[in-house]
Amino acid sequence: EVKKGIKDSKIKVFKEYYYDIEPTKLTKQIEKITNYEIRKQNLFDEISRIENSQDPNKEKKIEKLKKRYTLGKLKFTKIIFTIQNQQN
């Protein structure tokens, strides 16, 4: 039903991923697909770069960056999650 709806909507599907419903496995899968570790490192690198700069507003910029989890763009604009009922 979901696949038919996506096909009918003409959403361009680049890749399909099927995720595990266990929360820890799901989190790891999402981190992998979104390049979380790279984006997290980008944030640390940017904070470090600003700390070592002569920018007069660096404290404000660092404070703003420290409120973020990651830095960088994702390579997709839409995510569709569906939940399947598993019946025994």
Side-chain angles (χ1 to χ4, degrees):
E1 191 175 312
V2 172
K3 286 182 181 181
K4 183 181 181 319
I6 291 171
K7 183 178 178 183
D8 292 346
S9 72
K10 298 181 181 165
I11 293 173
K12 183 181 176 185
V13 176
F14 179 67
K15 288 185 182 179
E16 283 185 40
Y17 296 93
Y18 295 92
Y19 293 101
D20 199 297
I21 60 171
E22 183 185 328
T24 54
K25 288 183 180 179
L26 175 63
T27 299
K28 288 289 181 192
Q29 289 173 311
I30 292 171
E31 285 177 357
K32 182 178 178 185
I33 193 82
T34 62
N35 296 315
Y36 177 81
E37 290 299 322
I38 293 169
R39 293 182 305 110
K40 186 73 170 179
Q41 186 61 50
N42 289 346
L43 177 62
F44 290 137
D45 292 346
E46 183 65 9
I47 290 171
S48 178
R49 186 187 70 76
I50 292 174
E51 285 174 337
N52 296 324
S53 75
Q54 299 299 320
D55 190 326
N57 295 321
K58 73 180 182 179
E59 297 303 322
K60 189 174 184 179
K61 289 179 181 180
I62 291 169
E63 184 179 322
K64 185 177 177 182
L65 286 171
K66 286 186 176 180
K67 292 179 182 178
R68 300 184 71 175
Y69 292 107
T70 62
L71 188 64
K73 295 184 179 185
L74 298 175
K75 295 182 180 180
F76 47 86
T77 58
K78 296 172 188 72
I79 300 174
I80 299 172
F81 285 99
T82 61
I83 298 174
Q84 294 179 322
N85 291 332
Q86 294 187 359
Q87 297 176 356
N88 295 336

